[in-house]
Amino acid sequence: MKIIKIFVAVCCIVIISILSFCSKKVQEEKVLPIQNDELAKLEKFMDIPIYPNSELANITTPLRDETIPDKPMHAQVTLIIDDYEKVPPFYEEKLGKTFIVDVENGKKYYELRFEKGEWLYIIFVGHDTFENKPVFSIEKWEK
């Protein structure tokens, strides 16, 4: 009787492990296309390139609903990235503008301010984190 209980317990653990793994795999497959669509929509809304392989951490707009708007308005976006040092060269190449670099306690902080049409943009790359992941921010303000 004791052996049957142990066998049933082991089978349950194996089944739960398999279901958990399968569920995680399905979630991962669903997330990637949504992020790509979301970043394409964000790029269109912000009207500037978005650093490749970024992940949207949050967006703040007057709508206060954390969705990417369909119409132009001011916004602040925080994006999760792979490496702080790769972001400034990407934007310098894409936008043809140079970041201001500030060094504090051995860490570099980058800021780029520029105008495009009726908008003022501020891109800030520092050593900020979101859930222990490196991030940078883009602000878009009406002039």
Side-chain angles (χ1 to χ4, degrees):
M1 187 69 172
K2 201 174 196 181
I3 293 175
I4 292 174
K5 287 181 181 180
I6 292 173
F7 178 74
V8 169
V10 168
C11 287
C12 288
I13 291 171
V14 169
I15 290 171
I16 290 170
S17 298
I18 290 170
L19 290 174
S20 175
F21 176 76
C22 291
S23 173
K24 185 176 180 183
K25 199 71 170 165
V26 168
Q27 285 177 340
E28 287 173 0
E29 290 171 1
K30 286 182 181 177
V31 169
L32 291 176
I34 292 169
Q35 287 178 349
N36 290 337
D37 291 345
E38 190 174 61
L39 289 177
K41 185 176 181 180
L42 180 63
E43 194 167 80
K44 183 177 179 185
F45 167 71
M46 294 299 285
D47 195 27
I48 62 170
I50 300 298
Y51 178 73
N53 301 317
S54 296
E55 181 183 334
L56 183 61
N58 68 31
I59 180 168
T60 305
T61 67
L63 301 177
R64 298 185 187 274
D65 61 3
E66 294 191 19
T67 61
I68 301 169
D70 292 325
K71 61 181 182 173
M73 65 181 64
H74 63 268
Q76 180 175 1
V77 177
T78 303
L79 295 150
I80 298 170
I81 52 174
D82 54 355
D83 184 354
Y84 298 114
E85 296 296 326
K86 293 180 180 178
V87 176
F90 169 81
Y91 281 102
E92 288 178 341
E93 179 186 325
K94 295 291 184 180
L95 301 173
K97 302 184 183 314
T98 305
F99 277 80
I100 295 171
V101 182
D102 188 23
V103 179
E104 186 177 309
N105 296 326
K107 295 181 179 178
K108 290 183 181 177
Y109 296 88
Y110 303 87
E111 186 175 315
L112 176 62
R113 292 175 181 255
F114 65 96
E115 295 179 3
K116 182 177 180 188
E118 60 190 54
W119 300 97
L120 167 66
Y121 290 86
I122 303 168
I123 301 175
F124 180 77
V125 183
H127 289 271
D128 299 323
T129 60
F130 177 83
E131 297 178 353
N132 289 328
K133 298 175 186 172
V135 297
F136 79 105
S137 66
I138 304 173
E139 296 179 29
K140 177 180 175 182
W141 298 97
E142 221 167 342
K143 288 194 280 183

